[in-house]
Amino acid sequence: MENKNIQLEHDSHSSANTLPLCILVKDMESPSNVGSIFRIADALGVEKIYLSGNTQTPPNSKIRKVSRAAEQYVAYEYVEDPVLSIKQLKADGYGIVGLDITSESIDLEDFETKADSKICLVLGSERSGIHKDLLKECDVTVHIPMVGQKSSMNVGNACAIAIYSLGLGMRS
């Protein structure tokens, strides 16, 4: 099955400012969360965002408001089949890292990246996390260690923590 793509026609970040790090999002229904992902991606040098499933896409006034128009500066693409996109990213040398709390996920602090790493961070639905078909494609699943009474946090906040942490090793 071939992906039908919607892609911006302007340049994203300059290559000097981006990391070989992308985000794949499936079924993120809140435009505010999607806007937050764009803003984080712009701030932290993510090279591209892949949107799929029921994920809200630009143009969208709520995405634009929360992202502060960052969707104009971060390359993105809507993909019909995220599994196919993951397979292509793997073929291009990307490690696929799911961000979700599962019985097999490891502490984000225990996952190391290096300067030559290429990573795609997979995010899922606000309610149910990463769909099982995508979890199967992940090379590793990581979670953010938490000390409070709740075992989850807003997906945008979690994305920011993960991107920052992954990027530290890639920038050294």
Side-chain angles (χ1 to χ4, degrees):
M1 172 189 265
E2 188 175 315
N3 273 326
K4 294 179 186 173
N5 302 327
I6 301 170
Q7 195 164 12
L8 288 179
E9 299 201 13
H10 64 77
D11 291 332
S12 62
H13 301 100
S14 70
S15 61
N17 294 328
T18 59
L19 294 169
L21 201 156
C22 60
I23 302 170
L24 186 141
V25 181
K26 183 177 181 200
D27 295 335
M28 188 177 293
E29 295 182 17
S30 166
S32 294
N33 285 333
V34 176
S36 181
I37 301 301
F38 272 98
R39 194 165 174 187
I40 291 160
D42 180 50
L44 299 179
V46 169
E47 68 182 357
K48 188 169 187 177
I49 300 173
Y50 296 89
L51 306 168
S52 65
N54 295 325
T55 302
Q56 297 292 307
T57 60
N60 178 296
S61 61
K62 286 186 180 181
I63 290 174
R64 184 176 199 86
K65 180 179 179 182
V66 174
S67 76
R68 298 186 65 141
E71 78 280 3
Q72 295 179 35
Y73 306 108
V74 178
Y76 72 90
E77 169 178 357
Y78 181 83
V79 294
E80 290 288 329
D81 185 349
V83 172
L84 183 63
S85 295
I86 286 175
K87 289 180 186 297
Q88 183 59 55
L89 286 163
K90 282 183 177 184
D92 292 340
Y94 283 78
I96 310 302
V97 179
L99 180 60
D100 207 344
I101 299 172
T102 71
S103 60
E104 296 180 15
S105 61
I106 65 169
D107 190 319
L108 179 61
E109 294 173 351
D110 294 333
F111 184 77
E112 292 186 30
T113 56
K114 296 182 171 101
D116 62 346
S117 297
K118 292 169 67 172
I119 295 175
C120 177
L121 182 67
V122 178
L123 305 173
S125 163
E126 295 93 340
R127 290 185 186 93
S128 56
I130 300 172
H131 193 272
K132 63 182 178 180
D133 64 336
L134 292 181
L135 273 176
K136 286 191 283 188
E137 296 297 327
C138 292
D139 298 315
V140 64
T141 304
V142 298
H143 63 265
I144 297 166
M146 293 179 232
V147 297
Q149 299 302 309
K150 299 289 184 178
S151 64
S152 69
M153 66 175 66
N154 173 276
V155 67
N157 295 336
C159 177
I161 292 167
I163 293 294
Y164 185 81
S165 178
L166 295 170
L168 284 176
M170 298 170 86
R171 290 194 190 280
S172 53

